[in-house]
Amino acid sequence: MTPRSPWPALWALLIGLFMTLIDVTIVSLANPAIKAAFDPASDNLDNVVWVTSAYLLGLAVPLLVTGRLGDRFGPKRIYLLGLVVFTLGSLTSGLSVSLEMLIVARAVQGVGAALMTPQTMAVITRTFPPAIRGAAMGLWGATSGVGMIVGPLLGGVLVGALGWQWVFFINVPLGIVGFILASIFVPNLETHPHRFDLGGVALSALGLFLVAFGLQEAVHFEWGVIWGPISVWSLIVAGVAVMVLFVWWQSRTRSEPLVPLVLFRDRNFTLASLAIAAGSFTMTSMLLPYMFFLQLSRGVSPIGCALLMMPMAVIVIFCSPLVGRLLDRVDPRFVIVPAFFAFALGMGWYVVLIATGAPILMFLLPNVLLGLGNAGLWGPLAATATRNLAPRLAGAGSGVYNTTRTIGSVLGSASIAAIMQANIVANLPEDAGGAAPGAGFGQGQLPPGIAEQFATAMGQSLIVPAIVVGIGGVLGLFLHSPRRATNGLDALAWEAAKVAAPGAGAAGAAPARSDAAPSGAAPSGTAPSGAAHPGAAASARLVGDHASGDVAAEV
């Protein structure tokens, strides 16, 4: 019997992934309208930024355990559950009647996204052999990039034409279609019992929340006392200390830690995870000040803002598939490093244009560089991070990678709130309080004098994101050229080795799963001929080493 292709299942899963990533950036363009609706009198931007941060925290905190949930109950079941939660959270967000209700609904959305996201990478790792996994991961990464890029474009159209509520309502029909397609095409993969490190979940949640809250509310409390003995700095330091304790806890946990530290023996996984965090930090943080600048300083409509983001979206959409096809043929570093530096150069160009008061159409040019950068960033990094991981580490690896990426977004959102507010205080007159008397930040274009100073503040706020994405490019320089399967026999050996691999693993680990999914398994009659090939036999031995608990050595 001819095996089913794994590609339809991947396409079905990518609908949900696309929704979760759009919602990281789509709200950035709606923020001025949301502020006008729920917080028009306040000159503080921190309140509305929580609409983004609540989603990112709800997404980041459970990610370390939701990959294991997929292994325990099946990626398909957990994905569908997450899609339902996300869609209901989207509906509630659009129906919100207060800023507090919207923030809570966004956190629910984030939890749904956390349930979905790791399942997509785990299905790829479990159903695609190495010979074509690069193309599959390239498509996954391209979807990640396109989702984050298309968010502002789609958000501008929806806010301008229908209102801010529709940046959330749009997820409802997409969620229904995605649920139907995933129910039909995604296979039921084998499940295995897992222990869940609840102590690790609590430590990671507490540490991340303390750091994010401290950063985001820092300027509001003037980097001083919040309540009683609790200060901004004490929260941030406590958050960092808790995260250090979390790492120690993971090193001492022998029975299925949330973060198997063996993952970080793979140099490419470590560097790619840090680099994607830098890219996510910049993509999330740059949109907030840039959109506030366009709408409040220059009076650009939401649809006009979307058009100014059009070059980036078009380039990412058309170039990402080309990059995906290159991933199994060229060293990913040749794509990743130039992409990061193109992104950083585009960000620096934005800073110069804002500082010099350039004509609004000039802002299309750096957007081209951002498009080239994003097209070569998301797919290659995802493929490089996961190419050498053992099948038994699929759930944990995808959870850690996605968590790192999302933590980058959380820190970007929290940091930019503090940076923006600090620059507003430094550049705007004290008697204006961040705006002219009676003119809040959510009520259209600011008066000329205030608008120029506000533009300066937003331009300065883009400097830190530019530096961070440049650091990502430096990290990319130290990646190693990944091992890759070179022919179809290697792919057959991979499938055969997955089935035959022993269940031995790290101390306390669950027995290794059989990853030969119905949709991705090779016909039973083909494995012997593949294994007979000397190169294929070497691949089989290598995969056998994976199954026994060793991360692939770098070649």
Side-chain angles (χ1 to χ4, degrees), residues 307-330:
L307 293 175
L308 288 172
M309 301 294 287
M310 180 74 77
M312 178 167 62
V314 171
I315 290 171
V316 170
I317 289 170
F318 282 98
C319 291
S320 291
L322 300 178
V323 172
R325 285 194 285 270
L326 284 174
L327 289 181
D328 290 313
R329 298 179 176 88
V330 303

Side-chain angles (χ1 to χ4, degrees), residues 262 390-392 497 501-507 509 512 541-551:
V262 68
R392 73 178 187 86
R541 287 195 299 273
L542 186 59
V543 177
D545 291 340
H546 275 208
S548 67
D550 295 329
V551 175

Side-chain angles (χ1 to χ4, degrees), residues 13 63 65-71 74-80 114-125 140 186 189 395 398-399 402:
L13 292 172
L63 268 179
V65 74
T66 51
R68 300 295 180 84
L69 287 174
D71 287 340
K76 179 176 182 177
R77 293 187 184 93
I78 300 301
Y79 174 86
L80 292 175
L115 290 168
M116 285 191 286
T117 302
Q119 316 315 326
T120 57
M121 286 186 74
V123 168
I124 291 173
T125 307
W140 184 96
V186 177
L189 300 179
S398 63
N402 283 294

Side-chain angles (χ1 to χ4, degrees), residues 202-277:
L203 288 173
S204 62
L206 178 61
L208 189 57
F209 174 78
L210 289 175
V211 172
F213 185 88
L215 287 173
Q216 188 154 322
E217 296 295 324
V219 177
H220 176 68
F221 291 103
E222 298 180 345
W223 294 91
V225 175
I226 296 176
W227 178 79
I230 300 174
S231 66
V232 169
W233 282 111
S234 66
L235 281 184
I236 295 174
V237 171
V240 172
V242 170
M243 294 305 293
V244 171
L245 179 60
F246 168 75
V247 173
W248 176 84
W249 178 275
Q250 295 305 288
S251 70
R252 304 292 295 177
T253 302
R254 301 304 179 194
S255 178
E256 299 193 64
L258 286 177
V259 180
L261 298 184
V262 68
L263 289 169
F264 297 100
R265 295 180 188 172
D266 186 318
R267 178 173 180 166
N268 280 359
F269 180 86
T270 302
L271 291 175
S273 296
L274 292 174
I276 198 64

Side-chain angles (χ1 to χ4, degrees), residues 141 158 168 185 195 250 260 283 294 324 329 384 426 466-467 491:
L158 292 174
F168 305 113
F185 292 111
R195 299 180 182 91
Q250 295 305 288
M283 194 65 225
L294 289 177
R329 298 179 176 88
T384 302
I467 293 172

Side-chain angles (χ1 to χ4, degrees), residues 271-273 275-276 332 336 340 376-386 401 479:
L271 291 175
S273 296
I276 198 64
I336 291 170
F340 267 111
L377 191 157
W378 303 95
L381 279 176
T384 302
T386 59
Y401 180 83
L479 292 168

Side-chain angles (χ1 to χ4, degrees), residues 32-67:
I34 292 173
K35 182 166 178 56
F38 293 136
D39 191 30
S42 170
D43 300 324
N44 194 324
L45 299 180
D46 294 344
N47 297 334
V48 74
V49 175
W50 272 111
V51 175
T52 299
S53 294
Y55 175 78
L56 292 172
L57 283 169
L59 171 58
V61 170
L63 268 179
L64 290 172
V65 74
T66 51

